[in-house]
Amino acid sequence: MATTTPLTSSDQRRKPPPIPSGTLWWVVCSAAALGLAACSSLGPHRVWGTAAALGYLAAALLAVRRRSPRAAGAVAVTGAVLLPLLWLLAVDRAQLEVRVVARSAGLLLAEGTPYLQRPLVPEDFNPYLPGMAVFGLPEAVAGTGPVTDPRLWMGAAFLGAFALALPAGSRSAPLRWIAACPLVALPLAVGGVDLPVAGLMCLGLALAGGGRAGAAGLALGVAAALKWTAWPAIPVALALLAVASRSADRGEGRRPAERAARRCGLVALLTAAALVLPAALRDPAAFRAHVVDFPLGLTDAVSSAASPLPGHLLATHVPGGRTLALLLLGVSALLLALSLLLRPPETPADAAARLALGLLLAIAFMPASRFGYLVHPLVLAVWAAVGETPGRPWLLRVRKQVSR
């Protein structure tokens, strides 16, 4: 027989694992930023690398002097996010994806679709799902300016969703650390479409762990309308919601977890469909060219996502390598699906770790990929570590007792 008991007070007060915040960490961050400034050919990246290297170095000096981790983290965020962001906004410089999002919003308002009908060069393509155009609407409506810049709204969406996904009362330190981490600070300053997707995935898993199936489906549905990378989070959340029905005793008025999983999935699919289908049906050929063919490398224009990860190396240097990379991508997805069926996650932290691993494999084997995509597994892993112990008894611990 199986019974469920709430988490004990000691479980709820258990401190999350420490996150790196000492001198060595900030020195490593400074070296990474300086290396990017020296090696990158992109102007916004060089600006970020220079400012961030100084900010991280100042944080390291504060850590050496035994100042509080809060002060060092605040200095790091100032140097790695705020200063380069303000400078780049002042001179109107950003990563290409920021301009793509802004253009897609203008097209959406004017033509009902965020996609150019006849894209020719890589800059013409918009590989994001229609929901991403929402972040460009302020600029499309009010004109270009520092306040309407899409990267501000993408960064705000990420930080807001990630904060809501964290346990109440212990949000400031993880927020400070994740914002200062180079892999997150760079897109916060120069523009990053992956950040709001990662934040919404964490929020969706947190809501699913709290049994709020409808709200979880809404958050995951919005994420799924932004980028394809959010879609694997839906089956992971469903497995998390459904696992209770396999563990609880059916004879003791168990919570209808199976119905909760179905409700979450239905809300997620309806939300994503409502945000994606109108633009997709407006011009199906353009939709396919932009969000399917271009990311998979099936167009004449070559994506700028060409970091030397296994999938790109196979597609570039091995005969038939693109097919092999796509095959490995499919095998990774199948293995993730099997793991959800055979050993579904029991806690939101388990679900986030499973999703992070799946996305890491997908990023590794995609023919067109870049190191910046690693922000997805990073954010999920950090959230899994610091959000494992909720501030209130959302989760139930299942204790299996063998009846004689």
Side-chain angles (χ1 to χ4, degrees):
M1 172 175 119
T3 61
T4 58
T5 59
L7 292 174
T8 64
S9 58
S10 61
D11 290 328
Q12 297 175 33
R13 286 195 293 265
R14 181 164 50 89
K15 292 183 179 180
I19 52 180
S21 59
T23 304
L24 179 60
W25 166 249
W26 298 123
V27 169
V28 170
C29 291
S30 181
L34 195 60
L36 182 65
C39 299
S40 178
S41 60
L42 301 176
H45 285 193
R46 292 197 298 269
V47 170
W48 177 84
T50 303
L54 295 175
Y56 292 137
L57 184 59
L61 292 175
L62 289 177
V64 168
R65 295 183 178 183
R66 305 290 184 181
R67 299 296 176 88
S68 69
R70 177 181 299 179
V75 168
V77 170
T78 301
V81 179
L82 295 180
L83 292 181
L85 175 60
L86 292 175
W87 174 259
L88 292 170
L89 287 173
V91 299
D92 193 23
R93 299 289 301 277
Q95 275 193 163
L96 175 62
E97 56 200 47
V98 176
R99 302 277 65 87
V100 169
V101 171
R103 183 189 65 210
S104 69
L107 288 171
L108 182 64
L109 293 179
E111 303 178 13
T113 174
Y115 307 109
L116 289 172
Q117 193 172 28
R118 295 180 181 86
L120 298 175
V121 296
E123 291 77 11
D124 292 339
F125 283 90
N126 171 18
Y128 317 121
L129 291 173
M132 192 67 73
V134 170
F135 297 111
L137 289 178
E139 182 170 315
V141 172
T144 303
V147 179
T148 61
D149 192 285
R151 84 191 94 172
L152 288 181
W153 300 96
M154 291 187 288
F158 163 69
L159 294 174
F162 190 77
L164 290 175
L166 291 170
S170 58
R171 291 171 174 161
S172 59
L175 269 177
R176 224 176 14 252
W177 189 89
I178 199 69
C181 180
L183 205 57
V184 173
L186 174 62
L188 281 175
V190 306
V193 296
D194 296 294
L195 289 179
V197 179
L200 285 169
M201 286 194 293
C202 292
L203 180 58
L205 292 179
L207 292 170
R212 300 173 61 182
L218 182 62
L220 294 173
V222 172
L226 301 180
K227 282 193 76 173
W228 290 119
T229 47
W231 283 84
I234 296 177
V236 173
L238 299 185
L240 176 62
L241 283 165
V243 70
S245 65
R246 302 181 183 181
S247 304
D249 183 9
R250 297 177 182 272
E252 296 184 356
R254 65 176 178 86
R255 184 178 174 214
E258 290 177 343
R259 284 192 298 168
R262 288 195 295 267
R263 184 165 65 253
C264 176
L266 182 61
V267 172
L269 292 178
L270 289 177
T271 302
L275 295 174
V276 171
L277 285 181
L281 296 177
R282 175 78 173 177
D283 192 341
F287 177 81
R288 176 180 173 178
H290 284 265
V291 303
V292 178
D293 294 345
F294 181 67
L296 293 179
L298 302 178
T299 60
D300 294 333
V302 179
S303 172
S304 60
S307 295
L309 293 167
H312 176 71
L313 295 177
L314 285 172
T316 305
H317 302 291
V318 176
R322 187 177 305 279
T323 301
L324 178 58
L326 294 176
L327 179 62
L328 291 172
L329 186 62
V331 170
S332 300
L334 179 61
L335 291 177
L336 176 62
L338 288 175
S339 75
L340 295 177
L341 291 173
L342 299 177
R343 190 180 178 186
E346 297 183 355
T347 68
D350 293 339
R354 191 82 54 88
L355 180 57
L357 177 59
L359 290 175
L360 184 63
L361 292 173
I363 292 166
F365 294 129
M366 284 192 299
S369 188
R370 60 176 54 156
F371 289 119
Y373 297 163
L374 294 173
V375 72
H376 290 290
L378 169 71
V379 170
L380 286 164
V382 170
W383 179 78
V386 302
E388 184 176 4
T389 310
R392 52 196 176 112
W394 279 358
L395 306 178
L396 296 178
R397 175 178 294 159
V398 179
R399 294 177 179 173
K400 295 183 179 179
Q401 299 175 346
V402 179
S403 56
R404 298 181 181 178

